[in-house]
Amino acid sequence: MKRRITFVQRIDAGFNPQQVTLTPSSLSVRGLDAAREDRITVELDQLPEQLRAVLEQSSGLHLRWASERPYDALAPFASRVSPGLHVHYTPLKAEDSSEELCTLLRTVVGPDEDAQYKDCTKPEESFISPPPSTRFGSLQYHTHLPTVDNLAKYIQDNVCTKGSTECHTQANALLSADSVDIDYDSISHALTVSGFWANPPQGGWNDEISKPSSAADQIEFGLLGAEPGLEPEEIKMGGLLAVVGEDQKLKPTMFSFPSRHQPLIEPSSYTVSFTPPTGLHPEMSITIPGSSLKRPPAPSDATCGLHTYLTLPSTVFGDQYQLKTTDPLFLESHNLAALNALAGETDLEAPDWVVDHWGSTWLLELATPKSQETGPSNWTATIPLHLRYLPPSESGYRTAHIPWPIVFWACTTEDESEAGPNPFDRTNLGWDGLFSPQTTFYQLQPAGDRLVEDLDVPVLRLSGEGLFKGKSIELGTCAVISLGFLWVLWKLLRVAWVSGVGSNDKIGRGVHDKKD
Amino acid sequence: MGLFNSAPRVFLAATALRLALLVYGGWQDAHSALKYTDIDYMVFTDAARYVANGKSPYARDTYRYTPLLAWMLVPTAWEGPTPWSTLTFAFGKALFALSDILAGWLIVQLLTRFYRFPMERALRYVATVWLWNPMVANISTRGSSEGLLGVLVTALLWATLTKKPILAGFILGLAVHFKIYPFIYGVSILWWWDAERDGSSSPGSGLLSKALRFLTPSRVKFVAAALVSFVALNTVMYLQYGQSFLQHTFLHHLTRIDHRHNFSPYSSLLYLTAAGGAETHFEALAFIPQIVLVVIALPLILAKKSLTTTMLAQTFAFVTFNKVCTSQYFLWYLVLLPFYLPSSSLIRKPTLGVFAAILWVLGQALWLHQGYNLEFLGLPSFVPGLYFAGLLFFSVNVWILGIIVQDGGEAADETEEMTEKYKAR
């Protein structure tokens, strides 16, 4: 087991050397004001049977969970995903995907009270295939997941060895994390769990980290600050490092590395909303203050575009034919530039209950104001969406949880040189694979209290009793249609009685005699 | 009334109306993000583009039509500089609009030749119901293919009344291939085409000779031609596009899962059933009233009295009792109204006619209001709103169907009869 704890302080955060104490057996931090990343790497053979079964059938498994609370993604942890749980899975053999993964997913997502998720027995049922343009070929899954309670509980019950309070504490700590990553690939044969906390708890971080009990284990500690590097795509970090139980004192350090995820120097934000009434055709608005639209500090030869990446549950969908249009009038009226990639469930008619896939992902390039000066006024891009029919409910409504999309600049250079290693690199985010490797991303900050929009979807109102019983709809329809049918038959029989089935020009002959 | 006394004037005005709408539509499409062109037309033209590139039209989602349609619209896929591409894009709409005009011309021909209408009277009905009807012109110029059905149905009627059984059969096969529902006309035409109308002799009165008498040469030719053209077209399409052709053109209608709200009285029930909330599956029997009326009762009792009124009643019943009903379905019976209205009690008794029209419009308006509440305001108006509105609209339609049936029962479609009656008036 390897553990890496990194505290990253903002430039304005206070620090005095007494806050960190290193002894031969432990390291303690007191009232530390910093963001924190805690990363634990576990070898495959240290994992429980069920989990190992899943991983052994995977060539890659990457979970990305982000909180619904907004948080500040500071360098070098600048990348973002939409709130909820994202799973990127590549089976070892294409035809032999893991059923256990579905079981695991149910354990982690299922017990939630208002869990709306697409279940599966085999991943390919509910997982979607990536867009053909992606560099990563993994199957993709997403679900609304406000907390990682069940994940933490799973780790405590199955991964932690009995009596290990430290493991339990660490799993518990995930509950307050802003994002959680779990990574496995068949090359390293190790599982990495990382939590990220953008802000310290009340009173700062207080932690006592003991040296590992086994010699095979290692705990690295870092207290760092980050600033822009000399090159635009670089980040420079400096501070103190130590290996707990090995180093006698904290070692000062300074290093820089290239990073595909860069912070925007000037604060830039966006908000997402749906204009009421949303009806069955809600329109998503992404509003960006004019001041947030400045081109990022990328090299001048880089091509930059403002993008948004939507992660839509199956309850809501875009019309690909409407959105991939090149009609400038449509695009201008929505401030969109182009639909660059799309994957997943795009059926235009199916109600939600016949849809197996969890939903769809959309990479859209947004238009930016034509004039160079970006005024103070807001810039709004709109994306027309549509709701699926959902099953009946007692209230006549059901909720569709739509996570806020992420909004970012992507700047691509022609530079073919291979980027050096980045100790804080983050890939397999779903959207990053849709760009060339020479792309640098600059995230805009979502500004809201909660990064999920709850849409009221009108459905058939159905109660156990009274007028809105299912039975009354059945009987009412049946009765009215039967009456209508009998009425027309009655009219026809009267015609047949009076004039038979022949033509009326044979008056005086046959059945018609009866009338005369 | 001088307005309707010149055929060229009526047809020129109808053409001008469509041309104006085509030009206007092109202008609106080019200047507004809100398009005049119907979404369905984008489906057709996308499919035509696939076809032009040697691919299957079913590569386009929601293309649920015969490949013939995509083939016909291949010119819309021709690329070119701006004025040229606008023209090629409008090719399909122009074709649909032309079909409207042709259907109108055929109706006028039939009315004047077989129903001995004076030209002015024929023009009056055809212009008000069809040719000058802004709804008809709007639908075809926005790019909906229903106009093609109109011309096929009137052509079928023309071939039948001019006693061309083989041609009629071919047209029927084509029409059914195009859009399943015209098969209902096959039944009434078959029943109508008896020995008397066929001019064949009637030997004996035994059971065998009665059966033989039923098999008039025209009936045999009609059925054979219909089968040949239907089977041939489907075979060609199946060989070309395989299972996806069968799935999207025919099977889709049997297995469709989209129960979005529509005018059908079954709409709420189907939503309930599809979502798994129904106990008894009445909807599985929905075909019974529809088929009994449309395929058996209406043709059997009415076809020999008035073929056109029977066809109207069949269409009306088919649409009213169908599990899905949208406003384009109304066009299906609109094209047959000029044959029925002149002798209808809805015209003879204006109060009844106006009352029926008001009820029908009111039923629509009530439904549309509920539909608006759901679609745009997001109110859960499925029950009671849409449910009752759907049943009410159904009831209005059934009541009107009763009137049509009654009128059909009193009709004497024979051309000689008509002339005599008309002269007597």
Side-chain angles (χ1 to χ4, degrees), chain A residues 46 73 126 157 173 188 202 244-245 325 401 434 483 491 496:
Chain A
Q46 289 170 293
S126 58
D157 295 350
S188 68
Q202 197 91 44
V244 181
T325 176
H401 305 289
L434 301 171
L483 282 175
K491 286 280 182 182

Side-chain angles (χ1 to χ4, degrees), chain A residues 280-281 321 327 329 349 351 353 389-390 396-397 459-461 472-474 476 481 491 499-500 502-505, chain B residues 30 35 60-61 64 196 257 259 261 266 271 274-275 279-280 304-305 375 380 382-383 387 398 406 409 411 414:
Chain A
L280 291 180
H281 307 281
Y321 298 99
D327 174 32
L329 293 164
E349 296 163 329
W353 56 84
Y389 263 36
L390 301 185
Y397 290 102
V459 298
L460 185 69
R461 186 166 50 194
S472 31
I473 292 178
E474 292 182 65
I481 287 172
K491 286 280 182 182
S499 51
S503 68
N504 280 353
D505 55 25
Chain B
K35 304 299 179 196
R60 174 58 160 92
D61 286 354
R64 303 271 158 66
E196 229 161 306
I257 39 154
H259 300 301
H261 49 287
Y266 292 105
Y271 179 4
E279 295 166 30
T280 26
K304 292 193 182 184
K305 297 182 175 64
E375 192 99 28
F382 291 104
V383 283
Y387 172 61
V398 160
Q406 207 169 333
E414 291 302 297

Side-chain angles (χ1 to χ4, degrees), chain A residues 122-435:
Chain A
K122 281 268 201 182
E124 50 270 52
E125 284 171 20
S126 58
F127 284 52
I128 63 172
S129 300
S133 55
T134 186
R135 290 187 288 121
F136 308 124
S138 51
L139 296 169
Q140 210 174 337
Y141 185 88
H142 173 265
T143 179
H144 170 68
L145 190 67
T147 72
V148 284
D149 288 13
N150 298 313
L151 177 68
K153 193 168 179 314
Y154 175 82
I155 293 174
Q156 287 170 344
D157 295 350
N158 298 282
V159 184
C160 291
T161 46
K162 279 223 169 67
S164 164
T165 47
E166 202 183 292
C167 179
H168 276 77
T169 319
Q170 281 170 35
N172 248 344
L174 289 180
L175 299 185
S176 61
D178 292 304
S179 83
V180 176
D181 286 8
I182 299 179
D183 290 279
Y184 171 83
D185 65 72
S186 57
I187 298 165
S188 68
H189 271 284
L191 185 77
T192 305
V193 181
S194 339
F196 174 72
W197 295 259
N199 289 297
Q202 197 91 44
W205 292 105
N206 292 302
D207 214 343
E208 170 98 23
I209 302 143
S210 317
K211 92 175 210 198
S213 46
S214 153
D217 298 348
Q218 193 191 38
I219 301 177
E220 292 174 32
F221 166 87
L223 172 60
L224 303 163
E227 56 184 273
L230 291 173
E231 299 292 326
E233 69 279 359
E234 283 193 338
I235 290 177
K236 189 165 77 182
M237 295 191 86
L240 302 165
L241 296 180
V243 177
V244 181
E246 272 179 38
D247 291 331
Q248 302 304 311
K249 54 180 202 174
L250 296 159
K251 294 177 185 161
T253 184
M254 175 80 86
F255 55 101
S256 62
F257 52 86
S259 174
R260 68 179 101 236
H261 304 293
Q262 288 282 345
L264 278 165
I265 311 297
E266 287 171 66
S268 42
S269 64
Y270 68 97
T271 56
V272 174
S273 62
F274 287 92
T275 323
T278 45
L280 291 180
H281 307 281
E283 187 169 76
M284 179 187 276
S285 299
I286 299 173
T287 306
I288 306 167
S291 58
S292 298
L293 283 167
K294 279 211 186 106
R295 186 183 185 275
S300 54
D301 63 333
T303 321
C304 291
L306 185 62
H307 292 79
T308 186
Y309 182 71
L310 275 66
T311 307
L312 298 179
S314 62
T315 48
V316 65
F317 63 97
D319 177 347
Q320 55 167 318
Y321 298 99
Q322 184 183 20
L323 290 173
K324 78 180 176 194
T325 176
T326 51
D327 174 32
L329 293 164
F330 174 85
L331 293 172
E332 259 167 48
S333 72
H334 290 280
N335 280 339
L336 299 175
L339 170 64
N340 287 348
L342 106 95
E345 191 52 67
T346 52
D347 190 296
L348 301 172
E349 296 163 329
D352 193 47
W353 56 84
V354 301
V355 169
D356 290 329
H357 292 130
W358 66 267
S360 54
T361 61
W362 305 72
L363 176 68
L364 288 146
E365 184 170 349
L366 304 181
T368 44
K370 282 206 183 76
S371 59
Q372 284 304 308
E373 59 194 279
T374 44
S377 62
N378 285 339
W379 179 254
T380 301
T382 48
I383 303 157
L385 300 173
H386 312 275
L387 293 174
R388 286 192 197 288
Y389 263 36
L390 301 185
S393 81
E394 266 192 45
S395 66
Y397 290 102
R398 277 181 190 269
T399 310
H401 305 289
I402 320 290
W404 280 28
I406 55 162
V407 179
F408 57 95
W409 287 93
C411 297
T412 307
T413 53
E414 297 294 313
D415 184 13
E416 289 289 313
S417 64
E418 192 79 5
N422 169 357
F424 302 102
D425 198 14
R426 197 178 180 213
T427 56
N428 286 294
L429 303 167
W431 47 270
D432 54 341
L434 301 171
F435 295 88

